Amino acid sequence: AVDESELLTVPDGWKEPAFTREDNPKGLLEESSFATLFPKYREAYLKECWPLVQKALGEHYVNAALDLIEGSMTVTTTKKTFDPYAIIRARDLIKLLARSVPFEQVFRILQDDVACDIIKIGSLVRKRETFIKRRARLLGPKGSTLKALELLTNCYIMVQGNTVSALGPFSGLKEVRKVVLDTMKNIHPIYNIKTLMIKRELAKDPELRTQSWERFLPKFKRKNLKKRKEPKKKNTKKEYTPFPPPQPESQIDKELASGEYFLKERQKKRKQMEEIKAKQADAVKRRQEERNKAFIPPKEKPVVKTKKASTEKKIDIEAIKEKVKNAKKKKLGALPEEEVKLKMATDEKKKKKK
């Protein structure tokens, strides 16, 4: 009797055997080929590393051609190619090279346990400014967020233009895609990094393999949701009535109501002139009032009478006398005449002795 949990889990250190010529001795029936374009700025780098690319693909009996005139890379199978999946790996290799991934990382795609994923992020955000901000958020300060994601997923990640290229194991690529898409949906990558760290620690415990991990994982709630701003002018819907609104009055109807319609041309012109003159008179009056505002004196503040200091305070004569005596005792300023004479006499005696 074998436990079901042991059948579901992959044993540690297990690796699928490699595909050899013995598995497919007759080779492939048809020739397959894939081609991809590359940008102009990648031309110099591809020219340098192309011999290495040909050497790496040559081990799997796949030909590689670089066309600098058209700006394309092509990979094709040969008669000696025995692995049918080698051409798919070669296709991914040239795609990653076109997406600015260095050859030191790209050649790993030829291994069995390594895959790649190119995530298109250009069309996920409408505004260009918000797209640039969220892409920078994925990188983090000095690339720290991207480095943490690489360590947790065991994948190499390259953010270039409108795509994110990832290279690594299948389980890691799945996590990378989730983090990248969530970041473009305005969910900060630090939340996903925290959950990945917790999952990494939980995976070490063999008892938790068959249990649900939801109780251990953090649940983040959005706190910065802003309330919708209410418009200044609210359009209130009117009650529905089956009757149409009354027809607006025309200019002739208004003239008929006021009696202007029956006036002669001279009378109409005279009335218009009177209205114009009345408007002009009002405008002149308003302008004159504004000019006269400068000549209106400001209101003066009321004068506040200061209270005279009370002279009823008693003067202490004895205290003043004591202050005068003390002041005389102190030596302030120049020395008195008697002391000056004594000092001069002592100085003369000292000179005579010398």
Side-chain angles (χ1 to χ4, degrees):
V2 183
D3 192 12
E4 286 184 5
S5 61
E6 289 181 10
L7 294 171
L8 291 168
T9 55
V10 179
D12 295 329
W14 180 83
K15 198 173 183 181
E16 197 172 333
F19 193 86
T20 57
R21 186 172 282 281
E22 292 171 5
D23 297 319
N24 187 18
K26 292 180 180 179
L28 305 175
L29 294 170
E30 295 290 334
E31 186 184 284
S32 302
S33 65
F34 288 102
T36 186
L37 299 170
F38 60 87
K40 186 73 177 174
Y41 61 85
R42 290 291 290 168
E43 189 177 313
Y45 181 78
L46 289 171
K47 276 171 76 177
E48 284 182 17
C49 72
W50 198 249
L52 297 170
V53 173
Q54 286 178 325
K55 188 182 177 183
L57 292 173
E59 292 175 4
H60 296 268
Y61 303 103
V62 176
N63 286 336
L66 178 67
D67 192 347
L68 297 173
I69 297 162
E70 289 184 2
S72 65
M73 293 179 281
T74 313
V75 286
T76 53
T77 56
T78 60
K79 290 179 180 179
K80 291 182 180 180
T81 310
F82 61 88
D83 188 359
Y85 200 72
I87 189 66
I88 304 296
R89 291 203 188 105
R91 179 201 64 183
D92 293 340
L93 186 140
I94 58 172
K95 272 189 180 180
L96 291 169
L97 281 171
R99 294 312 311 153
S100 298
V101 180
F103 179 75
E104 290 78 10
Q105 295 292 336
V106 167
F107 82 95
R108 288 169 52 212
I109 196 72
L110 300 172
Q111 298 171 15
D112 289 335
D113 56 345
V114 178
C116 75
D117 190 9
I118 296 168
I119 308 154
K120 292 179 181 179
I121 57 172
S123 60
L124 297 175
V125 185
R126 285 183 181 178
K127 289 184 181 178
R128 185 71 183 168
E129 292 174 1
T130 50
F131 168 72
I132 290 161
K133 281 181 184 176
R134 288 176 190 179
R135 188 178 63 182
R137 197 182 291 167
L138 184 65
L139 292 166
K142 296 180 181 178
S144 57
T145 308
L146 198 68
K147 190 69 183 172
L149 197 62
E150 283 181 353
L151 292 168
L152 288 166
T153 56
N154 296 322
C155 294
Y156 174 81
I157 306 162
M158 182 73 184
V159 181
Q160 175 71 17
N162 294 333
T163 57
V164 177
S165 306
L167 187 76
F170 291 98
S171 58
L173 292 174
K174 190 180 175 182
E175 297 293 342
V176 169
R177 178 171 273 274
K178 184 180 178 297
V179 173
V180 170
L181 294 175
D182 283 353
T183 306
M184 290 294 126
K185 289 174 186 174
N186 203 18
I187 298 166
H188 204 281
I190 198 71
Y191 300 132
N192 286 312
I193 286 167
K194 280 184 179 179
T195 53
L196 285 170
M197 287 170 76
I198 293 162
K199 281 179 180 178
R200 194 180 188 181
E201 293 299 318
L202 292 168
K204 293 175 183 177
D205 193 353
E207 292 179 4
L208 296 168
R209 281 182 177 178
T210 55
Q211 295 179 18
S212 178
W213 291 354
E214 282 186 13
R215 58 200 170 111
F216 301 108
L217 300 175
K219 292 176 182 178
F220 300 104
K221 291 180 181 180
R222 287 191 178 185
K223 294 180 181 179
N224 59 345
L225 286 172
K226 292 181 180 178
K227 290 181 180 178
R228 184 177 170 273
K229 288 183 179 178
E230 293 183 358
K232 288 180 181 178
K233 292 179 181 178
K234 289 183 178 180
N235 297 326
T236 53
K237 286 186 177 181
K238 294 176 183 178
E239 291 182 6
Y240 174 73
T241 53
F243 306 105
Q247 194 174 358
E249 289 184 349
S250 64
Q251 190 66 27
I252 295 165
D253 292 337
K254 287 175 184 177
E255 286 178 0
L256 284 167
S258 62
E260 283 181 33
Y261 185 78
F262 303 104
L263 294 173
K264 292 178 182 179
E265 284 292 324
R266 285 181 184 178
Q267 289 173 336
K268 283 181 182 180
K269 282 182 180 178
R270 196 186 299 155
K271 196 176 182 182
Q272 283 177 358
M273 289 298 292
E274 283 175 5
E275 285 176 359
I276 290 162
K277 283 178 181 178
K279 283 180 182 178
Q280 285 176 351
D282 288 338
V284 169
K285 192 179 179 182
R286 237 182 285 116
R287 214 178 296 125
Q288 198 64 37
E289 284 175 1
E290 285 178 5
R291 284 177 184 172
N292 291 335
K293 279 180 185 177
F295 301 103
I296 297 165
K299 289 182 180 180
E300 294 182 358
K301 292 178 181 178
V303 181
V304 181
K305 291 180 180 180
T306 54
K307 292 179 181 180
K308 291 181 180 180
S310 59
T311 55
E312 295 177 0
K313 289 181 180 179
K314 292 179 181 180
I315 299 162
D316 196 353
I317 297 162
E318 290 179 1
I320 293 164
K321 283 180 180 179
E322 284 180 5
K323 281 183 181 179
V324 171
K325 282 179 183 179
N326 292 331
K328 283 180 180 179
K329 289 176 184 179
K330 289 178 181 178
K331 293 179 181 181
L332 298 167
L335 294 167
E337 290 180 6
E338 293 174 0
E339 288 185 11
V340 172
K341 286 176 182 178
L342 286 166
K343 199 172 185 183
M344 286 172 72
T346 50
D347 290 340
E348 283 176 4
K349 284 177 182 179
K350 284 178 181 177
K351 285 177 182 179
K352 285 176 182 179
K353 284 179 181 179
K354 286 178 181 177

